[in-house]
């Protein structure tokens, strides 16, 4: 294993982190336990297997060399000890309550930035594992691969060989300078387009204090599973994509939740950031973040569930027609054009700008269709959790696993003490859409 400079967006995630805004993503996997000691055995397995996974041995260190001043490198930790990363907790009756407290804690920056917390269930027939990965170490796809490497082996298709490409940061071939110049002009035009779209997206925004309260640094998590067949039933009735339905469910759940808690949904159309992966596995940085996104206004103010779904579908279609390289959601692409020192010095400022860019994150994390197991104990539920950006009180992550859609909710615990009510509203909104679709 050799050292590797962080890609620009990785470096941005590394530098915008603060004590109140840790930049790790996570997933809570719930397992059916074959015995009361299954959780303890799972912790032993995770520690033993982690030692053999190269990606889990990588730490991030600052670089102050002249050609890479202000950057950071991903390199093997010579003192790697998996026992610093895998922790067995006391039995609990509430996995989500413990997960929320663990989400508050930043990862140790001096060692490989990941953790696996094993939570035995008090019932003796279940346990959970909360995997945490710093966003600078892995995006959703990469985190899934690292977690899968310490679970029981799966029969997956063999990967095609990756073509070697020049490492990030190498000086360009002078023969390509005309193309590079044209690319620079194109990048400037794209930056102007993104800036204009960002300004327009912020016009007339009315969000809710529940989504943009002052941060307390506390965290609460919750999750809800809905039947994938119900989602397909809605999609077949009204058209669009599964993702359109899942986003519309978030809009309807927010409306129901805001009205019931007394905040009111009238006029509320928060900007939702929908991340889009642009990572190409065969590039020089397969582990790096390559993200763009779409920004849409969630029609929380609309009382008609089918009209809300149609509004989401139309907005997503417009974004797809424009492509992920344009529009307000493509701000992350500009990270490639900021020098390393700029990320280092401007990280705190960039973190504070998230509130100007969007109001809520709604992201999808793909999972394999095959059943996941640990020590022979099958995964029954998987709740993904996204980082909570500065100035935001709520983030939503969604995964589909073995016939169910799992919504993972992360919130500021003081701003959103009733996150369980929002989780129930997700289930209720699915039922509302099914009823509305029935002839």
């Amino acid at each position: 294993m050799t050292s590797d400079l962080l890609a620009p967006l990785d470096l941005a995630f590394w530098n915008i982190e603060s004590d109140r805004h840790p930049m790790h993503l996570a997933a809570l996997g719930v397992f059916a336990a074959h015995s009361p000691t299954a959780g303890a055995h799972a912790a032993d397995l995770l520690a033993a297997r982690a030692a053999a996974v190269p990606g889990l041995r990588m730490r991030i260190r600052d670089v102050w060399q002249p050609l890479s001043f202000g950057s950071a490198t991903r390199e093997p930790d010579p003192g790697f000890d998996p026992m610093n990363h895998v922790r067995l907790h006391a039995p609990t009756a509430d996995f989500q309550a413990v997960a929320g407290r663990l989400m508050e804690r930043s990862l140790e920056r001096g060692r490989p930035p990941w953790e696996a917390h094993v939570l035995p269930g008090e019932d003796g027939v279940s346990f959970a594992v909360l995997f945490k990965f710093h966003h600078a170490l892995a995006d959703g796809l990469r985190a899934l691969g690292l977690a899968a490497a310490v679970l029981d082996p799966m029969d997956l298709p063999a990967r095609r060989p990756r073509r070697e490409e020049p490492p990030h940061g190498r000086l360009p071939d002078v023969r390509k300078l005309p193309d590079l110049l044209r690319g620079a002009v194109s990048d400037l035009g794209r930056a102007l387009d993104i800036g204009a779209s960002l300004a327009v997206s912020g016009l007339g925004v009315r969000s809710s204090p529940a989504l943009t309260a002052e941060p307390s640094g506390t965290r609460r998590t919750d999750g809800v599973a809905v039947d994938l067949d119900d989602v397909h039933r809605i999609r077949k009735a009204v058209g669009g994509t599964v993702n359109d339905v899942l986003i519309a469910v978030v809009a309807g759940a927010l409306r129901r939740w805001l009205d019931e808690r007394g905040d009111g949904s009238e006029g509320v159309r928060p900007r939702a950031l929908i991340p889009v992966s642009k990572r190409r596995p065969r590039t020089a940085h397969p582990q790096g973040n390559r993200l763009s996104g779409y920004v849409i206004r969630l029609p929380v103010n609309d009382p008609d569930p089918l009209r809300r779904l149609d509004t989401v579908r139309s907005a997503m279609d417009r974004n797809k027609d424009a492509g992920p390289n344009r529009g307000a959601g493509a701000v992350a692409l500009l990270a490639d054009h900021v020098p390393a020192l700029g990320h280092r010095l401007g990280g705190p400022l960039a973190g504070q700008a998230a509130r100007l860019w969007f109001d809520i994150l709604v992201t999808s994390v793909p999972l394999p269709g095959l059943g996941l197991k640990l020590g022979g104990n099958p995964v029954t539920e998987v709740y993904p959790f996204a980082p909570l950006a500065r100035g935001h009180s709520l983030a939503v992550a969604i995964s589909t696993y073995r016939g169910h859609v799992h919504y993972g909710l992360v919130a500021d615990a003081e701003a959103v003490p009733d996150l369980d009510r929002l989780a129930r509203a997700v289930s209720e909104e699915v039922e509302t859409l099914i009823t509305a679709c029935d002839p």
Side-chain angles (χ1 to χ4, degrees), residues 185-208:
V185 173
S186 174
D187 289 341
L188 176 60
R190 182 173 64 182
L192 293 173
D193 174 76
I194 292 172
S197 299
L198 185 62
V200 170
S201 73
L203 295 176
V205 170
R206 180 175 183 265
S207 187
S208 166

Side-chain angles (χ1 to χ4, degrees), residues 226-270:
V226 300
D227 197 310
L228 183 58
D229 287 341
D230 289 341
V231 176
H232 280 299
R233 180 178 171 186
I234 298 167
R235 179 191 61 80
K236 290 176 181 178
V238 299
T241 67
V242 165
N243 202 41
D244 295 339
V245 176
L246 300 181
I247 296 170
V249 166
V250 174
L254 287 173
R255 175 183 175 82
R256 187 184 304 269
W257 175 64
L258 290 174
D259 285 344
E260 291 186 0
R261 77 197 312 254
D263 290 351
S265 60
E266 183 178 355
V268 175
R269 297 174 63 234

Side-chain angles (χ1 to χ4, degrees), residues 153 163 170 179 181 234 257 295 311 318 322 331 371 397:
R163 186 182 66 178
R170 182 172 292 179
D179 290 336
L181 180 59
I234 298 167
W257 175 64
V295 171
T311 298
R318 287 193 298 271
V331 166

Side-chain angles (χ1 to χ4, degrees), residues 387-413:
L388 198 57
R390 189 172 305 186
H392 294 160
S393 302
L394 176 68
V396 180
I398 308 168
S399 283
T400 300
Y401 178 70
R402 297 183 71 78
H404 286 86
V405 178
H406 294 90
Y407 283 82
L409 311 176
V410 177
D412 185 285

